[in-house]
Amino acid sequence: MVVELNEYQKQAANTAVYPDKAALEYLTLGLLAEAGELAGHYAKWLRQDSKLQPYPAEAVMAEAGDVLWFVSELARLHNKSLSHLAQENLDKLSSRQKRGKLKGNGDYR
């Protein structure tokens, strides 16, 4: 497992400030908001003449970091380490790859 992710999760948790009673709602909406900000940087770049404007990699990656924070907190809320979550995802993708199901729709393919 990727142990460094767990250290990130531990340190990120020290910066968590949100109401316990609405943790799931806050984290879910925050994740969506940050993903939207990431997409917004890309959309604004596409809207302009992207050949003339440099791709906003720093801004996109800054938002990706914020997405990571929210994913980390959601995992912590569900008593999962980030490394465990990452390993489960790799296992799922590996299984799909072995069965020729990387493409397609549905969670349980």
Side-chain angles (χ1 to χ4, degrees):
M1 285 198 201
V2 186
V3 178
E4 290 83 4
L5 284 174
N6 293 341
E7 184 57 34
Y8 169 85
Q9 188 175 29
K10 186 186 299 182
Q11 291 184 35
N14 291 330
T15 67
V17 180
Y18 50 84
D20 289 339
K21 291 180 182 178
L24 182 58
E25 294 88 344
Y26 174 82
L27 294 171
T28 301
L29 293 172
L31 176 59
L32 291 171
E34 295 299 341
E37 288 184 40
L38 186 155
H41 285 295
Y42 185 69
K44 288 174 186 173
W45 177 72
L46 285 176
R47 182 180 62 205
Q48 301 169 8
D49 185 349
S50 56
K51 292 179 181 170
L52 299 177
Q53 299 294 325
Y55 171 71
E58 284 187 39
V60 168
M61 288 294 96
E63 299 304 338
D66 292 340
V67 167
L68 178 62
W69 186 92
F70 278 97
V71 169
S72 176
E73 281 299 293
L74 272 170
R76 191 171 69 90
L77 182 68
H78 290 87
N79 298 311
K80 279 205 184 224
S81 69
L82 269 181
S83 63
H84 189 87
L85 184 66
Q87 188 63 56
E88 283 182 338
N89 184 255
L90 287 174
D91 293 346
K92 176 183 77 175
L93 294 172
S94 176
S95 172
R96 286 181 180 172
Q97 185 176 40
K98 287 176 187 171
R99 295 178 286 114
K101 299 286 185 181
L102 281 175
K103 294 183 179 181
N105 296 316
D107 290 336
Y108 302 101
R109 56 180 185 260

